[in-house]
Amino acid sequence: MSATVAAALKKIAVAILTDKKLRKTFLGIVLGVIIIIVMPFAAIIALFNGGINIDTARLQTLVVQNMSAEEQARLQRVEDLMLEIEDKMLDAGFDQQRVKEAQVLYVLALSDYAEEAGFVDKLVGCFADGQSDAQLISAVNAAFGTNLSAEDFTKVMSAIRAVYISTAGYIDPSTKNNLDLVEWAKNAHSHGWGYVWGTYGQVLTRSLYKAKAEQYPDEVGGYAEFIEDHWIGGRTADCIGLIKGYSWFNTETGQIEYGTNGMPDVGADTMYSNATEKGTIDTIPEIPGLAVWHEGHIGIYIGNGQVIHASGTKVGVIQTPIDNSGWTHWLKIPYITYYDSDVAEAPNEKHIWDVLYAKIGNPYGVAALMGNLYAESGLQSNNLQNTYEESLGYSDASYTQAVDSGSYTNFTSDSAGYGLAQWTVEDRKTPLLAFANARGCSIADLDMQLDFLCNELETKFPGVLSTLKNAKSVREASNAVLFNFEAPLDQSEAVQAQRAANGSVYYSRYGQ
């Protein structure tokens, strides 16, 4: 493809994606043009199947057969570079959405630079965590001497981002659970998912829309013009489909696989009937990920008095106070696991968050560390391990006073967990005591313990600190702390999940 043609395609793509009237007619084609740069070739062809029945395998064969050997080699080179970009972006710790961004930049703007030595490494080097589109494009322009527009890039990426499902905030992607259901619902709401009866989170292609309109002529066909104007090309779900889509979502492939993970294809009323733990809405416990229900409709309680639900064709997925929408009952969804997220608020937890964030700079890492500290001590800096209170004859307060006064001299060797991190072994309690003595403060002083903890991470556990700084999920960071910093005897899957669940509470309180 010549540079002139590539530039023309880019302008056409941006124009159509941002023009509502043109988007109605040409969106499938334009997305095909754009997605050709961000998906394997077979998947690209499938996108053209939106409104026309096409034998995609035959079409792919015909396209390749009509290419010259030079063109086929060029296509293979593009595919190879796409894979190299994906591999190196993932190795650098970026998620699939950032991978797509890098691939978009390669094909739409940087193909003329692709044969330069180190092209992919230079491209990956333009990316950083937390950067805006403007910052990314500025870095690309500086690296390659281009004059790209951040506004154009944002417009092109908006269609792709609208259908992207991030699992970064999931505490346990391998298990269907209430806390990750909440993250799923928040993603659906923030990305503006639409409502189409009978769908469950799929991208609404024209072929899917046509099938649903034929299957449900009143519920779908009766809203034809509105759906075509608003929901084609994005993800859609009905009320129960929002829940089923989460359960059927394969976090490894990124695909929603119908009928998987033990979730049957049932309606809202049947799901309520099948639930064994439920009650009237006035008795709802504060458990994010519960479902709320009234006859014929169901939603997801996300905590703090808020519900996300696929409300109706003309509004899509919305968030409303629980007092709205006429909910009559709550239920635990019988096909997912419920983790305890009842983490009591400690008096100094915001201060702890602020100190640790200054050191770590990554909300996933800070939340995960605090989730583990909560499991160890409840975030109490004078906490003496419960099992030692009786054997040593001390309470939290009296043990602390005895150590501070010098009347108890076995602090470093008694193997009793103490403090925020429940420091236990002699080679960690000895420097903790020395740290406190050097400051002339109590062994229970919170700021001293936080400084000591940060010092330990820096000097004795640099691998854990690196993971905390670069983690892409609470679960990833939490397991690093559990296995390599706290290292309790019980490191079972249940313990891993619960500590990550603790961390997700702090992430929701302070990290978003």
Side-chain angles (χ1 to χ4, degrees):
M1 181 185 298
S2 71
T4 301
V5 173
L9 277 177
K10 175 184 174 183
K11 290 180 180 178
I12 293 168
V14 172
I16 295 177
L17 278 172
T18 53
D19 187 301
K20 185 175 180 179
K21 292 181 180 178
L22 291 175
R23 196 163 62 234
K24 280 181 63 177
T25 305
F26 296 111
L27 181 60
I29 296 174
V30 173
L31 284 178
V33 173
I34 294 174
I35 300 298
I36 199 167
I37 63 180
V38 295
M39 293 180 68
F41 191 72
I44 298 162
I45 299 298
L47 283 180
F48 286 89
N49 205 13
I52 309 170
N53 290 322
I54 298 174
D55 184 342
T56 55
R58 176 62 176 159
L59 179 57
Q60 180 177 346
T61 300
L62 288 172
V63 169
V64 174
Q65 283 179 347
N66 283 278
M67 295 175 102
S68 67
E70 181 182 355
E71 289 170 334
Q72 289 186 37
R74 191 179 305 160
L75 178 62
Q76 184 61 55
R77 173 62 178 156
V78 170
E79 185 174 353
D80 291 343
L81 274 173
M82 297 291 279
L83 293 172
E84 184 181 352
I85 290 170
E86 179 176 22
D87 289 342
K88 290 193 173 181
M89 285 290 288
L90 292 175
D91 288 344
F94 297 109
D95 64 16
Q96 283 292 340
Q97 180 166 310
R98 305 306 308 273
V99 170
K100 304 291 188 199
E101 293 173 4
Q103 292 171 326
V104 164
L105 284 167
Y106 155 50
V107 176
L108 278 186
L110 302 175
S111 57
D112 290 344
Y113 302 86
E115 299 308 317
E116 294 181 0
F119 165 73
V120 174
D121 290 330
K122 185 190 289 189
L123 175 58
V124 173
C126 295
F127 285 77
D129 286 333
Q131 69 188 155
S132 65
D133 285 350
Q135 290 169 329
L136 170 60
I137 297 304
S138 177
V140 170
N141 286 337
F144 292 95
T146 50
N147 189 29
L148 306 180
S149 163
E151 183 180 1
D152 284 355
F153 176 73
T154 297
K155 288 175 181 177
V156 171
M157 285 303 304
S158 63
I160 298 170
R161 289 170 176 159
V163 300
Y164 178 69
I165 297 174
S166 172
T167 60
Y170 284 21
I171 66 147
D172 189 7
S174 63
T175 301
K176 297 302 176 182
N177 65 84
N178 59 310
L179 299 178
D180 291 347
L181 172 63
V182 168
E183 292 302 312
W184 168 273
K186 289 179 178 179
N187 178 83
H189 177 249
S190 66
H191 284 80
W193 286 20
Y195 181 108
V196 173
W197 191 285
T199 60
Y200 43 86
Q202 315 101 301
V203 175
L204 189 69
T205 61
R206 291 192 176 276
S207 59
L208 176 59
Y209 165 63
K210 180 180 178 182
K212 291 303 175 184
E214 292 176 352
Q215 186 178 4
Y216 304 110
D218 295 329
E219 295 87 348
V220 178
Y223 294 93
E225 183 176 351
F226 186 91
I227 292 172
E228 291 188 11
D229 280 348
H230 293 85
W231 304 141
I232 294 289
R235 291 189 183 272
T236 63
D238 62 16
C239 68
I240 190 65
L242 188 60
I243 296 172
K244 291 187 294 192
Y246 163 71
S247 290
W248 296 340
F249 181 64
N250 185 326
T251 56
E252 294 185 359
T253 65
Q255 302 299 312
I256 299 174
E257 300 169 356
Y258 176 84
T260 55
N261 300 311
M263 170 70 76
D265 187 2
V266 297
D269 293 349
T270 301
M271 182 170 285
Y272 174 76
S273 297
N274 291 348
T276 57
E277 295 186 64
K278 53 192 173 185
T280 55
I281 200 66
D282 60 307
T283 66
I284 186 170
E286 183 57 27
I287 301 176
L290 291 175
V292 290
W293 173 88
H294 67 67
E295 187 174 1
H297 190 48
I298 199 165
I300 300 164
Y301 180 65
I302 64 170
N304 297 317
Q306 296 293 308
V307 175
I308 290 176
H309 54 121
S311 180
T313 303
K314 292 193 173 183
V315 293
V317 175
I318 61 174
Q319 180 174 322
T320 59
I322 194 170
D323 293 337
N324 293 6
S325 303
W327 309 112
T328 60
H329 292 77
W330 64 268
L331 62 142
K332 281 189 174 181
I333 299 167
Y335 316 107
I336 66 173
T337 299
Y338 278 80
Y339 293 132
D340 179 13
S341 60
D342 185 19
V343 176
E345 188 167 340
N348 295 300
E349 68 176 41
K350 180 58 167 60
H351 177 67
I352 294 171
W353 174 277
D354 290 341
V355 172
L356 295 178
Y357 191 85
K359 180 68 176 179
I360 295 167
N362 177 6
Y364 294 125
V366 179
L369 179 54
M370 288 182 64
N372 274 269
L373 296 178
Y374 180 85
E376 294 288 337
S377 66
L379 299 186
Q380 301 302 310
S381 60
N382 71 339
N383 184 269
L384 171 64
Q385 186 176 344
N386 291 345
T387 55
Y388 277 81
E389 289 185 355
E390 183 175 352
S391 61
L392 293 177
Y394 287 110
S395 66
D396 293 345
S398 63
Y399 181 82
T400 299
Q401 191 278 329
V403 174
D404 287 343
S405 68
S407 63
Y408 180 73
T409 59
N410 292 328
F411 175 76
T412 61
S413 59
D414 61 13
S415 299
Y418 183 79
L420 284 177
Q422 289 293 277
W423 288 280
T424 303
V425 297
E426 189 168 4
D427 68 354
R428 295 181 72 181
K429 291 183 80 175
T430 297
L432 174 63
L433 181 60
F435 209 81
N437 290 338
R439 296 193 171 198
C441 66
S442 169
I443 195 69
D445 185 87
L446 176 61
D447 286 320
M448 179 278 295
Q449 288 192 11
L450 287 169
D451 287 348
F452 180 74
L453 188 156
C454 291
N455 181 265
E456 274 201 317
L457 288 171
E458 186 82 47
T459 60
K460 297 185 68 172
F461 301 95
V464 174
L465 179 59
S466 177
T467 299
L468 294 179
K469 287 182 173 182
N470 297 290
K472 302 299 181 183
S473 70
V474 172
R475 180 62 181 263
E476 176 191 357
S478 182
N479 279 357
V481 176
L482 175 65
F483 297 149
N484 302 309
F485 184 80
E486 293 293 355
L489 291 177
D490 187 354
Q491 300 179 6
S492 64
E493 171 61 32
V495 170
Q496 294 173 42
Q498 186 55 62
R499 292 197 177 206
N502 295 345
S504 73
V505 173
Y506 294 113
Y507 182 79
S508 66
R509 286 178 184 170
Y510 306 113
Q512 297 177 309

